[in-house]
Amino acid sequence: MDKISIKGGARLYGQIPISGAKNAALPLMVASLLTDEPLILTNVPKLADVVFMAELLKSFGVSVEWTPGETLGEGGTYRLQANRVRGSTAEYDIVRKMRASFFVLGPLVARVGLAKVSLPGGCAIGARPVDLHLTGLQALGAAIDVAQGYVIADAPAGLAGGEVVFPIVSVGATENVLMAACLAQGRSVLVNAAREPEIVDLGNCLIAMGAKISGLGTSRIVVDGVPKLHGASHSVLPDRIETGTYAMAVAIAGGEVELTGTTPDLVSSLLDLLVLVGAEVSSTGTGIKVVRNGSRPKSVSVDTAPFPGFPTDLQAQFMALMATAEGTSRIRETIFENRFMHVPELVRLGADIKVEGDTAIVTGVPHLTGAPVMATDLRASSSLVLAGLAAEGETIVNRVYHLDRGFERLEEKLRAVGANIERQSE
Ligand code: UD1
């Protein structure tokens, strides 16, 4: 299994190109199931999860052509065509490896009237149920049955528009129901819908495919169903989690870096905090410049929240930054239970962190010290890389496959701005 070795202490200077967003690319790829014409997606990051989604789509008879990008950060292109959908079952072995596989439920039932998808099962960052996906599809007329670990959604005569009221904000459930509603007969209204930029991106692609959608980016999305969608070409939006992670890499290591191919509005909740932490942040027109020279970062407290609040997917990285800051910060996780698994690993690097319920109390220390560490999920792994950039000596991050699920060529991007980081293959 590959490891990443980081020798801390180097400041970062230069440019980091930001890739297309994993969390947009995955549902966009699934949208190919909604039409028999080709869907061309550009700026697609080459990530393990994306390759995995392509394999899942192939199992439904989707033809998949991939053209890689040429330079660091330049995404690849997928041509996906679901001329005929073959089968309607997503097996446990596939779904348990990647929760986003569950996105096929809505599009499949909308297109072919039947879908059988394994329940995702437990997950390292909490129970993560799928009840909202199911009640949402029920509101569109699907009969839902759960048996032997599978969800069976049945709508032989097609889906019908309806009102879906989400009791809590769910990104995945909003996406699943949004895709299904495009082919339902009549009007669907999604109330308390998620407002994440990835949903807007998916909605814009669906509109390019002929869907009738209004209210994207608000908590009330209205969809007027159409009998058929057609092919389209769409560029995946920049990855705001990658953007935020590298912005914090500069804040923790010091230096001056332009993050190119991204925009401040995707991460404004973080950039506002970074200014309080003591970094300078500016828009360059082609990206975002982050500068931190001189004094230690300052502690700032934060609660995670649905967009436009502070993203849960940046919580672990922010905690690494706060571990080296002057003062004490309180970091409250409101989206997922059990998303503090990075805490014991950061403590191994010398951080002073105590967890009380949903809140981590981080008292910054002047120096972290390198050590071997291990993480159990994607965002947690990236927090350990950030901590390693600031730590004295060598940090070895094990289980790099977590990082490969969500960060395209992470060590190359960081090395290009001066970090002492390398992958050790075994
Ligand atoms: C997506 C992102 C993930 C991010 C998360 C929150 C993708 C592929 N993944 O995950 O990186 O961390 O949004 O921003 O886009 N919930 C229910 N019932 C449901 C669905 C969700 O109770 O049916 C709960 C979850 O357990 C969680 C909360 O709702 O507590 C939000 O989860 P959700 O927004 O659905 O996350 P995902 O779509 O799985």
Side-chain angles (χ1 to χ4, degrees):
M1 245 186 275
D2 289 3
K3 297 173 178 179
I4 281 184
S5 148
I6 308 151
K7 295 197 179 75
R11 287 176 169 258
L12 309 179
Y13 292 94
Q15 288 189 330
I16 300 180
I18 298 302
S19 300
K22 168 182 90 80
N23 284 354
L26 297 173
L28 283 164
M29 291 170 74
V30 173
S32 67
L33 288 170
L34 292 166
T35 173
D36 57 5
E37 295 182 19
L39 177 63
I40 315 283
L41 297 175
T42 57
N43 198 35
V44 180
K46 188 168 187 302
L47 296 169
D49 274 11
V50 166
V51 173
F52 192 71
M53 181 60 87
E55 292 304 315
L56 175 63
L57 293 174
K58 277 186 204 164
S59 77
F60 293 116
V62 179
S63 80
V64 175
E65 281 170 35
W66 167 255
T67 313
E70 277 166 22
T71 53
L72 190 64
E74 183 191 345
T77 300
Y78 264 126
R79 182 185 187 279
L80 306 165
Q81 186 167 13
N83 199 5
R84 281 192 53 229
V85 175
R86 199 179 58 212
S88 50
T89 304
E91 303 286 351
Y92 176 62
D93 254 4
I94 297 187
V95 183
R96 80 182 164 84
K97 287 193 203 130
M98 187 180 60
R99 186 181 156 85
S101 315
F102 205 74
F103 292 156
V104 301
L105 188 74
L108 278 179
V109 71
R111 172 105 182 258
V112 297
L114 180 68
K116 186 176 170 193
V117 179
S118 168
L119 285 166
C123 159
I125 59 169
R128 296 184 93 176
V130 289
D131 53 318
L132 305 176
H133 299 243
L134 305 188
T135 49
L137 293 173
Q138 267 169 335
L140 303 188
I144 302 280
D145 198 17
V146 180
Q148 286 141 7
Y150 280 83
V151 173
I152 299 143
D154 198 9
L159 295 172
E163 189 184 56
V164 180
V165 182
F166 294 106
I168 57 168
V169 175
S170 163
V171 175
T174 301
E175 291 170 338
N176 219 335
V177 176
L178 174 63
M179 287 190 273
C182 291
L183 291 180
Q185 205 182 344
R187 172 166 285 198
S188 299
V189 182
L190 281 58
V191 180
N192 199 25
R195 293 182 282 163
E196 268 63 7
E198 293 75 21
I199 288 171
V200 179
D201 203 43
L202 172 66
N204 285 335
C205 177
L206 294 166
I207 290 170
M209 294 166 73
K212 302 251 177 300
I213 303 171
S214 61
L216 289 170
T218 75
S219 54
R220 188 173 188 274
I221 301 177
V222 178
V223 186
D224 286 305
V226 293
K228 251 176 112 57
L229 294 179
H230 51 72
S233 190
H234 180 84
S235 174
V236 178
L237 96 164
D239 195 315
R240 63 195 167 97
I241 305 306
E242 193 194 25
T243 303
T245 301
Y246 290 131
M248 284 189 268
V250 183
I252 197 167
E256 178 168 340
V257 170
E258 186 191 6
L259 310 172
T260 58
T262 186
T263 56
D265 52 306
L266 291 172
V267 279
S268 49
S269 61
L270 169 69
L271 298 183
D272 292 348
L273 285 185
L274 288 184
V275 170
L276 300 175
V277 165
E280 290 165 43
V281 176
S282 54
S283 171
T284 60
T286 49
I288 305 168
K289 187 152 88 173
V290 184
V291 184
R292 189 180 69 77
N293 288 313
S295 58
R296 244 174 100 185
K298 289 180 194 57
S299 290
V300 183
S301 295
V302 72
D303 291 1
T304 62
F307 192 85
F310 187 84
T312 174
D313 286 350
L314 291 177
Q315 179 257 107
Q317 299 90 315
F318 191 72
M319 197 179 297
L321 174 60
M322 289 299 96
T324 65
E326 204 175 337
T328 298
S329 68
R330 297 174 65 86
I331 300 177
R332 188 165 157 251
E333 172 58 56
T334 72
I335 309 287
F336 292 110
E337 78 259 36
N338 194 21
R339 205 177 200 184
F340 282 142
M341 280 133 1
H342 41 286
V343 169
E345 301 300 310
L346 289 170
V347 168
R348 284 176 54 74
L349 298 174
D352 177 352
I353 306 172
K354 289 183 184 51
V355 174
E356 287 177 9
D358 64 359
T359 302
I361 298 145
V362 188
T363 303
V365 294
H367 301 289
L368 296 174
T369 317
V373 283
M374 177 167 304
T376 44
D377 81 55
L378 163 60
R379 310 306 176 184
S381 314
S382 63
S383 79
L384 299 175
V385 171
L386 296 199
L389 292 173
E392 285 170 357
E394 185 178 24
T395 298
I396 304 268
V397 181
N398 291 289
R399 298 201 180 162
V400 171
Y401 60 86
H402 286 300
L403 283 171
D404 293 339
R405 291 187 57 184
F407 286 89
E408 190 178 36
R409 296 161 77 176
L410 170 129
E411 67 277 13
E412 279 175 70
K413 289 187 182 186
L414 284 173
R415 206 165 41 233
V417 291
N420 291 315
I421 178 167
E422 61 184 42
R423 180 179 291 247
Q424 299 172 344
S425 299
E426 282 184 352

